[in-house]
Every structure is written in C-alpha cells, then in structure tokens.
Amino acid sequence: MNVNNVKVPKMPGGGAASALLKLGAAGLGVYWFANSSYKVDGGHRAILFNRIIGVKDEVYPEGTHFMVPWLERPIIFDVRPRPHLVESTAWSRDRQMVKIGLRVVSRPMLDKLPTIYQRLGENYNEIVLRSIIDKSLEELLRHYNATELITGIEVGT
C-alpha cells in the first residue's frame, strides 16, 4: 500500500476554531498588557503582595511600575506627614476625669513599610498612635490636677 497518495479529509469548521483560539489569545494579551502596570503618585510608596510568596521586601517609589497580573497586587501607602487628632480621657493628679485631645503629625518609616503591612495592616496609624498617645497622656496628666490644666499651664514635650 502506498502511503504517499493517501488523502486526509479536512475537518469541517477548523478555520472557525483556529480563529476563536487566536481571538482568545489576543484577548488574553490585551488583559495582560492593560493590568501589568500600576502608578505610584507623588507622596506615596508601594509594596507588592504576591499570592505565592507573600509581601515582597522592596518599597517602590513614585512612578510607573510593572507587575504580574492576578499574581501580584500593589498596596499603596500615603507617606506624607499627616495630622491625626486623638481624644482621650484620663485621671488627673486630684482624681478627676479629664478629657483631652492631642493632634499628632506622623508618617511611616519608608524602609519598614513591608513589616508595617505584615504586622499591622493598612490602618497602622489607628492601631499604633492610639495606644502610644493614650499611655503618654495618662502619664502626663498624672502630674497635674484639674485646675492647673484648666488655667492653661505650659506643658512641654
């Protein structure tokens, strides 16, 4: 039997399947290109969360950066100095309850952003500042009585 002269019939609709496969590949390429970059604005920094290895240790500055879509996700932090108003109630030296407010301007340490995100999350200010300010105000108010606080003594840092 001569195998060279055997004709194989063509599959019906083979052109449509090929076109559909090409269209799917083009769609995947467009998705990949559109979602592979992110922008970090001025006064912000970013870290990358990878679904396989977790939070990467690198901190990304302002500008446009590339990532692997779906596998990586940018977490953008505002690192400009921001004011926070924290109100607290504490006991004065003469055992009176005093309500006091304190305005604190803070910003995170840039090289510690991955650690801050891993341990405290994105709302680190509320967690850290609240506990530090409450303890500091309690310690400060224990040295003064209520009348000294009302008359407006000079309290330094």
Side-chain angles (χ1 to χ4, degrees), residues 97-135:
M97 189 65 94
V98 176
K99 184 175 182 181
I100 189 166
L102 182 64
R103 182 176 181 259
V104 177
V105 178
S106 69
R107 59 175 256 153
M109 294 177 64
L110 299 180
D111 58 335
K112 302 290 185 193
L113 282 178
T115 306
I116 290 171
Y117 180 74
Q118 287 174 340
R119 294 189 181 167
L120 302 171
E122 291 184 64
N123 60 348
Y124 61 92
N125 279 334
E126 297 164 10
I127 298 169
V128 174
L129 290 179
R130 170 62 70 184
S131 62
I132 291 173
I133 290 173
D134 282 344
K135 290 188 184 294

Short mmCIF file of all heavy atoms in Angstrom, two decimals, residues 97-135:
data_model
loop_
_atom_site.label_atom_id
_atom_site.label_comp_id
_atom_site.label_asym_id
_atom_site.label_seq_id
_atom_site.Cartn_x
_atom_site.Cartn_y
_atom_site.Cartn_z
N MET A 97 -11.66 63.06 86.29
CA MET A 97 -11.60 62.59 84.91
C MET A 97 -11.47 63.78 83.98
O MET A 97 -12.26 64.72 84.04
CB MET A 97 -12.87 61.79 84.58
CG MET A 97 -12.80 61.09 83.26
SD MET A 97 -11.55 59.82 83.22
CE MET A 97 -12.52 58.42 83.65
N VAL A 98 -10.45 63.74 83.13
CA VAL A 98 -10.16 64.85 82.22
C VAL A 98 -10.22 64.31 80.79
O VAL A 98 -9.61 63.29 80.48
CB VAL A 98 -8.76 65.43 82.51
CG1 VAL A 98 -8.43 66.52 81.50
CG2 VAL A 98 -8.66 65.94 83.92
N LYS A 99 -10.94 65.01 79.93
CA LYS A 99 -10.99 64.65 78.51
C LYS A 99 -10.08 65.62 77.78
O LYS A 99 -10.23 66.84 77.89
CB LYS A 99 -12.42 64.75 77.99
CG LYS A 99 -12.54 64.31 76.56
CD LYS A 99 -13.99 64.29 76.12
CE LYS A 99 -14.07 63.80 74.68
NZ LYS A 99 -15.45 63.78 74.21
N ILE A 100 -9.15 65.07 77.02
CA ILE A 100 -8.16 65.91 76.36
C ILE A 100 -7.95 65.40 74.93
O ILE A 100 -8.07 64.22 74.66
CB ILE A 100 -6.84 65.92 77.16
CG1 ILE A 100 -5.88 66.96 76.61
CG2 ILE A 100 -6.20 64.56 77.17
CD1 ILE A 100 -4.72 67.25 77.54
N GLY A 101 -7.68 66.33 74.03
CA GLY A 101 -7.41 65.98 72.65
C GLY A 101 -5.98 66.35 72.30
O GLY A 101 -5.43 67.33 72.79
N LEU A 102 -5.38 65.54 71.45
CA LEU A 102 -4.00 65.76 71.06
C LEU A 102 -3.89 65.59 69.54
O LEU A 102 -4.39 64.62 68.98
CB LEU A 102 -3.08 64.76 71.77
CG LEU A 102 -1.59 64.90 71.49
CD1 LEU A 102 -1.06 66.23 72.00
CD2 LEU A 102 -0.85 63.76 72.14
N ARG A 103 -3.24 66.55 68.91
CA ARG A 103 -3.02 66.48 67.47
C ARG A 103 -1.58 66.04 67.24
O ARG A 103 -0.64 66.67 67.73
CB ARG A 103 -3.26 67.84 66.84
CG ARG A 103 -3.10 67.86 65.34
CD ARG A 103 -3.47 69.24 64.80
NE ARG A 103 -3.35 69.28 63.39
CZ ARG A 103 -2.31 69.82 62.73
NH1 ARG A 103 -1.32 70.35 63.41
NH2 ARG A 103 -2.29 69.84 61.43
N VAL A 104 -1.43 64.96 66.48
CA VAL A 104 -0.11 64.39 66.22
C VAL A 104 0.10 64.35 64.71
O VAL A 104 -0.80 63.95 63.97
CB VAL A 104 -0.02 62.95 66.79
CG1 VAL A 104 1.32 62.33 66.47
CG2 VAL A 104 -0.25 62.97 68.28
N VAL A 105 1.28 64.76 64.26
CA VAL A 105 1.64 64.66 62.86
C VAL A 105 2.62 63.50 62.74
O VAL A 105 3.65 63.47 63.40
CB VAL A 105 2.28 65.97 62.34
CG1 VAL A 105 2.69 65.83 60.89
CG2 VAL A 105 1.32 67.12 62.51
N SER A 106 2.27 62.53 61.89
CA SER A 106 3.12 61.34 61.76
C SER A 106 3.23 60.91 60.32
O SER A 106 2.43 61.28 59.47
CB SER A 106 2.55 60.20 62.60
OG SER A 106 1.34 59.76 62.03
N ARG A 107 4.24 60.10 60.08
CA ARG A 107 4.44 59.45 58.79
C ARG A 107 5.22 58.17 59.03
O ARG A 107 6.01 58.08 59.97
CB ARG A 107 5.14 60.33 57.78
CG ARG A 107 6.51 60.81 58.20
CD ARG A 107 7.24 61.58 57.15
NE ARG A 107 8.26 60.71 56.60
CZ ARG A 107 8.73 60.80 55.38
NH1 ARG A 107 8.30 61.73 54.59
NH2 ARG A 107 9.64 59.98 54.95
N PRO A 108 5.05 57.16 58.19
CA PRO A 108 5.74 55.89 58.42
C PRO A 108 7.20 55.94 57.96
O PRO A 108 7.57 56.76 57.12
CB PRO A 108 4.95 54.90 57.58
CG PRO A 108 4.42 55.73 56.46
CD PRO A 108 4.12 57.07 57.07
N MET A 109 8.00 55.04 58.51
CA MET A 109 9.37 54.88 58.02
C MET A 109 9.30 54.11 56.71
O MET A 109 8.72 53.02 56.65
CB MET A 109 10.21 54.14 59.05
CG MET A 109 10.41 54.91 60.34
SD MET A 109 11.33 53.98 61.58
CE MET A 109 12.90 53.80 60.79
N LEU A 110 9.89 54.67 55.66
CA LEU A 110 9.73 54.10 54.33
C LEU A 110 10.29 52.69 54.20
O LEU A 110 9.70 51.83 53.56
CB LEU A 110 10.36 55.02 53.29
CG LEU A 110 9.78 56.43 53.21
CD1 LEU A 110 10.49 57.23 52.15
CD2 LEU A 110 8.31 56.38 52.96
N ASP A 111 11.44 52.44 54.80
CA ASP A 111 12.06 51.11 54.65
C ASP A 111 11.34 50.04 55.48
O ASP A 111 11.57 48.86 55.28
CB ASP A 111 13.53 51.17 55.02
CG ASP A 111 13.78 51.66 56.43
OD1 ASP A 111 12.92 52.37 56.97
OD2 ASP A 111 14.84 51.32 57.00
N LYS A 112 10.45 50.44 56.37
CA LYS A 112 9.72 49.49 57.22
C LYS A 112 8.29 49.21 56.73
O LYS A 112 7.53 48.53 57.41
CB LYS A 112 9.64 50.01 58.66
CG LYS A 112 10.97 50.27 59.30
CD LYS A 112 11.69 49.00 59.58
CE LYS A 112 12.98 49.30 60.33
NZ LYS A 112 13.86 48.18 60.37
N LEU A 113 7.91 49.73 55.57
CA LEU A 113 6.54 49.56 55.07
C LEU A 113 6.12 48.09 54.92
O LEU A 113 5.01 47.73 55.31
CB LEU A 113 6.35 50.31 53.76
CG LEU A 113 6.16 51.82 53.88
CD1 LEU A 113 6.03 52.44 52.50
CD2 LEU A 113 4.97 52.16 54.72
N PRO A 114 6.98 47.20 54.38
CA PRO A 114 6.54 45.79 54.30
C PRO A 114 6.27 45.18 55.68
O PRO A 114 5.29 44.47 55.87
CB PRO A 114 7.71 45.09 53.62
CG PRO A 114 8.39 46.16 52.83
CD PRO A 114 8.24 47.40 53.66
N THR A 115 7.11 45.48 56.65
CA THR A 115 6.91 44.96 58.01
C THR A 115 5.66 45.56 58.64
O THR A 115 4.90 44.86 59.30
CB THR A 115 8.14 45.28 58.87
OG1 THR A 115 9.30 44.79 58.21
CG2 THR A 115 8.03 44.65 60.24
N ILE A 116 5.44 46.85 58.44
CA ILE A 116 4.25 47.51 58.98
C ILE A 116 2.99 46.86 58.41
O ILE A 116 2.04 46.57 59.13
CB ILE A 116 4.28 49.02 58.67
CG1 ILE A 116 5.37 49.70 59.50
CG2 ILE A 116 2.93 49.67 58.94
CD1 ILE A 116 5.61 51.15 59.12
N TYR A 117 2.98 46.60 57.11
CA TYR A 117 1.81 45.99 56.49
C TYR A 117 1.59 44.56 56.99
O TYR A 117 0.46 44.16 57.25
CB TYR A 117 1.94 45.99 54.97
CG TYR A 117 0.76 45.36 54.29
CD1 TYR A 117 -0.45 46.02 54.21
CD2 TYR A 117 0.85 44.09 53.76
CE1 TYR A 117 -1.54 45.45 53.61
CE2 TYR A 117 -0.25 43.50 53.15
CZ TYR A 117 -1.43 44.18 53.08
OH TYR A 117 -2.51 43.60 52.49
N GLN A 118 2.67 43.79 57.14
CA GLN A 118 2.54 42.41 57.58
C GLN A 118 2.03 42.32 59.02
O GLN A 118 1.22 41.46 59.34
CB GLN A 118 3.88 41.68 57.48
CG GLN A 118 4.29 41.37 56.07
CD GLN A 118 5.69 40.80 55.99
OE1 GLN A 118 6.50 40.97 56.90
NE2 GLN A 118 5.98 40.13 54.89
N ARG A 119 2.51 43.19 59.88
CA ARG A 119 2.16 43.09 61.31
C ARG A 119 0.91 43.87 61.69
O ARG A 119 0.18 43.47 62.59
CB ARG A 119 3.33 43.56 62.15
CG ARG A 119 4.52 42.65 62.02
CD ARG A 119 5.58 42.98 63.00
NE ARG A 119 6.71 42.08 62.81
CZ ARG A 119 7.89 42.27 63.34
NH1 ARG A 119 8.09 43.32 64.11
NH2 ARG A 119 8.86 41.41 63.12
N LEU A 120 0.68 45.04 61.06
CA LEU A 120 -0.41 45.91 61.49
C LEU A 120 -1.49 46.15 60.45
O LEU A 120 -2.59 46.55 60.79
CB LEU A 120 0.18 47.26 61.93
CG LEU A 120 1.21 47.21 63.05
CD1 LEU A 120 1.85 48.56 63.23
CD2 LEU A 120 0.58 46.72 64.33
N GLY A 121 -1.19 45.99 59.18
CA GLY A 121 -2.17 46.23 58.13
C GLY A 121 -2.11 47.65 57.61
O GLY A 121 -1.20 48.43 57.93
N GLU A 122 -3.10 48.00 56.80
CA GLU A 122 -3.10 49.32 56.16
C GLU A 122 -3.53 50.44 57.10
O GLU A 122 -3.20 51.59 56.88
CB GLU A 122 -4.02 49.29 54.94
CG GLU A 122 -3.48 48.43 53.82
CD GLU A 122 -4.34 48.47 52.58
OE1 GLU A 122 -4.44 49.56 51.99
OE2 GLU A 122 -4.89 47.43 52.23
N ASN A 123 -4.26 50.14 58.16
CA ASN A 123 -4.69 51.18 59.10
C ASN A 123 -3.78 51.18 60.34
O ASN A 123 -4.25 51.22 61.47
CB ASN A 123 -6.15 51.00 59.48
CG ASN A 123 -6.41 49.66 60.13
OD1 ASN A 123 -5.57 48.78 60.11
ND2 ASN A 123 -7.58 49.51 60.70
N TYR A 124 -2.49 51.15 60.10
CA TYR A 124 -1.50 51.09 61.18
C TYR A 124 -1.55 52.32 62.07
O TYR A 124 -1.27 52.24 63.27
CB TYR A 124 -0.09 50.93 60.59
CG TYR A 124 0.31 52.07 59.69
CD1 TYR A 124 0.99 53.16 60.18
CD2 TYR A 124 -0.02 52.07 58.34
CE1 TYR A 124 1.33 54.22 59.36
CE2 TYR A 124 0.31 53.11 57.52
CZ TYR A 124 0.99 54.18 58.04
OH TYR A 124 1.32 55.23 57.23
N ASN A 125 -1.90 53.49 61.51
CA ASN A 125 -1.95 54.72 62.31
C ASN A 125 -2.93 54.61 63.47
O ASN A 125 -2.63 55.02 64.58
CB ASN A 125 -2.35 55.91 61.44
CG ASN A 125 -1.19 56.47 60.66
OD1 ASN A 125 -0.05 56.33 61.07
ND2 ASN A 125 -1.46 57.07 59.54
N GLU A 126 -4.10 54.07 63.19
CA GLU A 126 -5.11 53.96 64.23
C GLU A 126 -4.66 53.02 65.35
O GLU A 126 -4.96 53.24 66.51
CB GLU A 126 -6.42 53.48 63.62
CG GLU A 126 -6.98 54.45 62.62
CD GLU A 126 -8.05 53.82 61.75
OE1 GLU A 126 -8.49 52.69 62.05
OE2 GLU A 126 -8.45 54.46 60.77
N ILE A 127 -3.95 51.97 64.99
CA ILE A 127 -3.50 50.99 65.99
C ILE A 127 -2.35 51.54 66.82
O ILE A 127 -2.38 51.52 68.05
CB ILE A 127 -3.09 49.69 65.28
CG1 ILE A 127 -4.29 49.08 64.56
CG2 ILE A 127 -2.50 48.70 66.27
CD1 ILE A 127 -3.94 47.95 63.64
N VAL A 128 -1.33 52.05 66.15
CA VAL A 128 -0.12 52.47 66.84
C VAL A 128 -0.32 53.78 67.60
O VAL A 128 0.00 53.88 68.79
CB VAL A 128 1.05 52.62 65.84
CG1 VAL A 128 2.27 53.21 66.50
CG2 VAL A 128 1.37 51.29 65.22
N LEU A 129 -0.87 54.79 66.92
CA LEU A 129 -0.99 56.10 67.56
C LEU A 129 -1.94 56.08 68.75
O LEU A 129 -1.67 56.73 69.76
CB LEU A 129 -1.47 57.14 66.53
CG LEU A 129 -0.44 57.50 65.47
CD1 LEU A 129 -1.03 58.51 64.50
CD2 LEU A 129 0.82 58.03 66.08
N ARG A 130 -3.03 55.35 68.65
CA ARG A 130 -3.99 55.31 69.75
C ARG A 130 -3.34 54.80 71.03
O ARG A 130 -3.46 55.39 72.09
CB ARG A 130 -5.18 54.44 69.36
CG ARG A 130 -6.13 54.11 70.47
CD ARG A 130 -6.79 55.30 71.08
NE ARG A 130 -7.74 55.91 70.18
CZ ARG A 130 -8.40 57.02 70.47
NH1 ARG A 130 -8.21 57.63 71.62
NH2 ARG A 130 -9.22 57.54 69.62
N SER A 131 -2.60 53.71 70.95
CA SER A 131 -2.01 53.15 72.17
C SER A 131 -0.90 54.02 72.73
O SER A 131 -0.81 54.23 73.94
CB SER A 131 -1.49 51.74 71.90
OG SER A 131 -0.47 51.77 70.94
N ILE A 132 -0.06 54.58 71.87
CA ILE A 132 1.04 55.42 72.34
C ILE A 132 0.50 56.70 72.96
O ILE A 132 0.95 57.12 74.04
CB ILE A 132 2.00 55.75 71.17
CG1 ILE A 132 2.74 54.49 70.74
CG2 ILE A 132 2.99 56.83 71.57
CD1 ILE A 132 3.59 54.68 69.51
N ILE A 133 -0.46 57.34 72.31
CA ILE A 133 -0.99 58.60 72.81
C ILE A 133 -1.76 58.40 74.11
O ILE A 133 -1.63 59.20 75.05
CB ILE A 133 -1.86 59.28 71.73
CG1 ILE A 133 -0.95 59.76 70.61
CG2 ILE A 133 -2.66 60.42 72.31
CD1 ILE A 133 -1.68 60.29 69.42
N ASP A 134 -2.55 57.34 74.22
CA ASP A 134 -3.27 57.08 75.46
C ASP A 134 -2.32 56.94 76.64
O ASP A 134 -2.51 57.54 77.69
CB ASP A 134 -4.14 55.83 75.33
CG ASP A 134 -5.41 56.08 74.56
OD1 ASP A 134 -5.78 57.26 74.39
OD2 ASP A 134 -6.05 55.11 74.13
N LYS A 135 -1.27 56.16 76.47
CA LYS A 135 -0.31 55.96 77.57
C LYS A 135 0.44 57.25 77.89
O LYS A 135 0.67 57.57 79.05
CB LYS A 135 0.66 54.85 77.22
CG LYS A 135 0.01 53.49 77.21
CD LYS A 135 1.02 52.41 77.06
CE LYS A 135 0.37 51.06 76.95
NZ LYS A 135 -0.33 50.62 78.12
#
